[in-house]
Amino acid sequence: MVTIEDVRAAADRIAGRVVRTPLLEVERLSDELGSRVFAKAENLQHAGSFKIRGVLNALLRKKERGLLPTGVVTFSAGNHAAATACAGQLLGVRVVVCMPPGAVPAKVDAVRRYGGEIAFTPNLLIDAEALSTERGYPLLHPFDDLDVIAGQGTVGLELVEAGPPPDLVLVPVGGGGLISGVAAAVKALAPQAAVIGVEPVTAPAMSHALRMGGAAPLPIRPVSLADGLAAPFAGIKTFAHVKEYVDEVVEVTEDAIRDAWWSVVDATKLLVEPSAVVGLAAVRSGLVTPPAGGVTVLVLSGGNTGLAALAGSV
Amino acid sequence: MVTIEDVRAAADRIAGRVVRTPLLEVERLSDELGSRVFAKAENLQHAGSFKIRGVLNALLRKKERGLLPTGVVTFSAGNHAAATACAGQLLGVRVVVCMPPGAVPAKVDAVRRYGGEIAFTPNLLIDAEALSTERGYPLLHPFDDLDVIAGQGTVGLELVEAGPPPDLVLVPVGGGGLISGVAAAVKALAPQAAVIGVEPVTAPAMSHALRMGGAAPLPIRPVSLADGLAAPFAGIKTFAHVKEYVDEVVEVTEDAIRDAWWSVVDATKLLVEPSAVVGLAAVRSGLVTPPAGGVTVLVLSGGNTGLAALAGSV
């Protein structure tokens, strides 16, 4: 399991190569929710999402051991792909990513901007494993990797360090890497805080795993406006972290995500993607009650989206 | 004239009541422009723009002297109106604002959210003066006021303190309050930096004043997508500061503003209004050349805009 020491080590390792993103108080959401609302603005991170934290921690650990590969293969709806391409460019590592054919254009563009090579396929994991063998590049798992989880945990470390002690931290959940790391950090530093995960009801990999008692592939193909959260399965390691550290995982509807999207953009003045707004969607759906007069933190996971999609949301 | 001491005094006065907005490095614009590009994110300020800085400085100075009025009247395309309403709510001062009938809805909403009273009129200054007499509330000028200018100057102070020494600072120009304060601060602290103002060619109050040799009303009614910059005249005091401190004022077309808008939102992941993007529009129009390998700062003045307008821009 990832510990706070692992997260601190990751923070030291990636310092100066990632943005220490601002924690912004959001007056309008505070007024609406009756709780002091802060936003951890990971949309302002390099490559447009928190993902670079985990990737860099994993690659830099390999480098410390003299094991930095000449290339890596990975798979992703897009943000992890862009982050890996960005990190690869920084460290001189070739990056090949499997992405779904329906990946949002902003994410495809981001991967290409950093020189990543893309293979479009609906069979992300299987084809990534095949490519890994074919090219002789190791597979970097987008979320079920302890170094990746520790890297994502720096989001939790920073939000505790930068703001008042949190009472509630709302975290988007796809495969579970972000919430695993954030919960490990937050529960160590601010044990009074509830850490609640939010995923789309149409892409409920972690909720499904919790119901099944273990990480099991979803019986349906996950599809959501929150494309970044449409993981086909939770990780074995992330499932274990969620069981250990996370208070609850709730599921929000597509309508709730759509309704929350422009609200968050307008109230925060941040361009965020739909995956980032599921926390507000959960509150507005009555699934989570923010602590009255307490401190609520929304982890805004990323901002890679297009204007046409945003405009189509209202 | 406003000096760096005035700006420092304003910074002390308003500290804790305004957001020290982040100065964010914008990798994609740096790549495009061949200069390290930083954005001063005043869209993240209270009431959605830099305007609260000047208003608060002016009102708090009155309060220090025991002269805080029970109400104020002002006029504005919207951001100064929202900021005055916000400051009024904070300090217990009634706020009446004259706004143009075509003010953007996001700005009207912001004024109302803070309890401001709005009188819609095309004759902003004349009707504001009449209302001031009628109500017995003093007129708070949106830009041609030394306390307002000193407050806006804190944007310049902060950007110099937060980043590497700037070589070029690009500032949107409406009536000239922001650039007057920013230039006073930047020229004192980073005299090597060029400070260049940018205004719409369809709303060129300051350029017109410079051509006429003094602050003179525009012979046309200014209209621009950059609604926040459509001042009908430059201030007498702001003109003096621009003459003294500003290197150049350039004019950009509506097409250039429209083209730059989503580019800035996408590259910075910040929701900004069109007035905020004129700096990039000027560079892309070839009117300003960023220092190769140097440091360019874009002052992103505000973020009060609607999705329909943004969607209509592309």
Side-chain angles (χ1 to χ4, degrees):
Chain A
M1 299 288 281
V2 166
T3 66
I4 184 65
E5 287 71 34
D6 297 322
V7 175
R8 288 195 192 281
D12 289 344
R13 198 172 282 119
I14 67 180
R17 300 186 197 243
V18 300
V19 180
R20 197 176 168 93
T21 58
L23 183 74
L24 300 163
E25 190 158 5
V26 190
E27 194 190 332
R28 283 165 67 182
L29 294 181
S30 298
D31 290 348
E32 178 186 334
L33 306 188
S35 185
R36 279 183 79 188
V37 176
F38 291 82
K40 179 63 173 164
E42 284 294 298
N43 65 317
L44 302 177
Q45 190 53 266
H46 292 313
S49 85
F50 69 94
K51 290 282 192 179
I52 189 84
R53 296 170 181 268
V55 173
L56 266 179
N57 188 51
L59 292 180
L60 288 171
R61 276 207 76 187
K62 291 184 203 297
K63 192 176 175 187
E64 283 169 10
R65 298 164 174 161
L67 297 173
L68 190 68
T70 56
V72 293
V73 175
T74 190
F75 60 95
S76 161
N79 280 341
H80 171 74
T84 306
C86 179
Q89 194 176 63
L90 199 67
L91 301 176
V93 174
R94 276 198 58 81
V95 172
V96 185
V97 295
C98 293
M99 293 177 75
V104 305
K107 296 181 181 181
V108 175
D109 291 348
V111 177
R112 293 201 168 123
R113 200 160 51 240
Y114 297 113
E117 176 186 340
I118 303 175
F120 289 102
T121 166
N123 304 308
L124 295 177
L125 178 58
I126 291 170
D127 285 359
E129 284 174 343
L131 268 167
S132 170
T133 306
E134 185 185 314
R135 301 288 181 96
Y137 296 160
L139 184 71
L140 176 64
H141 199 287
F143 50 83
D144 212 26
D145 176 303
L146 295 178
D147 292 330
V148 170
I149 291 171
Q152 319 306 28
T154 60
V155 171
L157 179 63
E158 289 181 12
L159 71 86
V160 172
E161 287 179 349
D167 299 296
L168 171 63
V169 181
L170 289 166
V171 187
V173 175
L178 178 61
I179 197 169
S180 293
V182 167
V186 169
K187 289 292 182 176
L189 300 171
Q192 77 291 348
V195 178
I196 297 184
V198 187
E199 59 188 1
V201 71
T202 56
M206 191 61 73
S207 297
H208 178 70
L210 289 167
R211 283 189 288 267
M212 301 293 281
L218 282 173
I220 53 161
R221 182 177 290 278
V223 177
S224 176
L225 175 64
D227 61 290
L229 308 183
F233 50 84
I236 293 168
K237 292 165 192 159
T238 59
F239 174 74
H241 285 77
V242 168
K243 283 283 282 184
E244 176 74 17
Y245 293 128
V246 172
D247 294 273
E248 194 183 358
V249 178
V250 300
E251 298 164 74
V252 292
T253 66
E254 293 295 285
D255 280 351
I257 297 169
R258 193 175 289 106
D259 290 348
W261 194 8
W262 175 254
S263 293
V264 171
V265 173
D266 191 28
T268 62
K269 305 302 180 192
L270 298 170
L271 180 68
V272 296
E273 58 185 276
S275 301
V277 310
V278 292
L280 181 64
V283 172
R284 287 194 174 162
S285 301
L287 299 168
V288 180
T289 305
V295 171
T296 297
V297 179
L298 302 174
V299 176
L300 302 184
S301 47
N304 288 322
T305 186
L307 179 52
L310 180 58
S313 74
V314 291
Chain B
M1 298 290 280
V2 166
T3 65
I4 185 64
E5 287 73 35
D6 298 322
V7 175
R8 288 196 193 280
D12 290 343
R13 200 171 283 121
I14 67 181
R17 302 186 195 243
V18 301
V19 180
R20 197 176 168 93
T21 58
L23 183 75
L24 301 162
E25 190 156 5
V26 189
E27 194 189 332
R28 281 164 68 183
L29 294 181
S30 298
D31 290 348
E32 176 186 335
L33 306 188
S35 185
R36 279 183 79 187
V37 176
F38 291 82
K40 178 64 173 163
E42 283 293 298
N43 65 319
L44 302 177
Q45 190 52 264
H46 292 312
S49 84
F50 71 94
K51 290 281 192 178
I52 190 83
R53 297 170 180 268
V55 174
L56 267 179
N57 189 49
L59 292 179
L60 289 171
R61 276 208 75 188
K62 290 185 203 300
K63 193 176 174 186
E64 282 169 9
R65 297 163 173 163
L67 297 173
L68 190 68
T70 55
V72 294
V73 175
T74 191
F75 59 96
S76 161
N79 280 341
H80 171 73
T84 307
C86 179
Q89 193 177 64
L90 199 68
L91 300 176
V93 174
R94 276 199 60 79
V95 172
V96 185
V97 295
C98 293
M99 293 178 72
V104 305
K107 296 182 181 181
V108 175
D109 292 348
V111 176
R112 294 202 167 122
R113 201 159 53 238
Y114 297 113
E117 178 186 338
I118 304 176
F120 289 104
T121 167
N123 304 308
L124 296 177
L125 178 59
I126 290 169
D127 285 358
E129 284 176 341
L131 267 169
S132 170
T133 307
E134 187 185 313
R135 302 286 181 98
Y137 296 159
L139 184 72
L140 177 64
H141 199 287
F143 50 82
D144 210 26
D145 176 304
L146 295 179
D147 292 330
V148 170
I149 291 171
Q152 318 307 28
T154 59
V155 171
L157 180 63
E158 289 180 13
L159 72 85
V160 173
E161 287 178 350
D167 298 296
L168 171 63
V169 181
L170 289 165
V171 187
V173 176
L178 177 61
I179 196 168
S180 292
V182 167
V186 168
K187 288 294 182 175
L189 300 171
Q192 78 290 348
V195 177
I196 297 184
V198 188
E199 58 188 0
V201 71
T202 57
M206 191 61 74
S207 296
H208 179 70
L210 290 166
R211 283 189 288 266
M212 300 293 283
L218 282 173
I220 52 159
R221 182 177 291 279
V223 177
S224 176
L225 174 65
D227 62 289
L229 307 183
F233 50 84
I236 293 168
K237 293 164 192 160
T238 58
F239 174 75
H241 285 77
V242 168
K243 283 284 282 186
E244 177 74 18
Y245 294 128
V246 172
D247 294 274
E248 193 182 358
V249 177
V250 300
E251 300 164 74
V252 292
T253 66
E254 294 295 286
D255 280 352
I257 297 169
R258 192 175 290 105
D259 290 348
W261 194 8
W262 176 254
S263 293
V264 171
V265 173
D266 191 29
T268 63
K269 306 300 181 194
L270 297 170
L271 179 68
V272 295
E273 58 185 276
S275 301
V277 310
V278 293
L280 181 64
V283 172
R284 286 194 176 163
S285 301
L287 299 168
V288 180
T289 305
V295 171
T296 296
V297 179
L298 302 174
V299 177
L300 302 184
S301 47
N304 288 321
T305 187
L307 179 51
L310 180 58
S313 74
V314 292

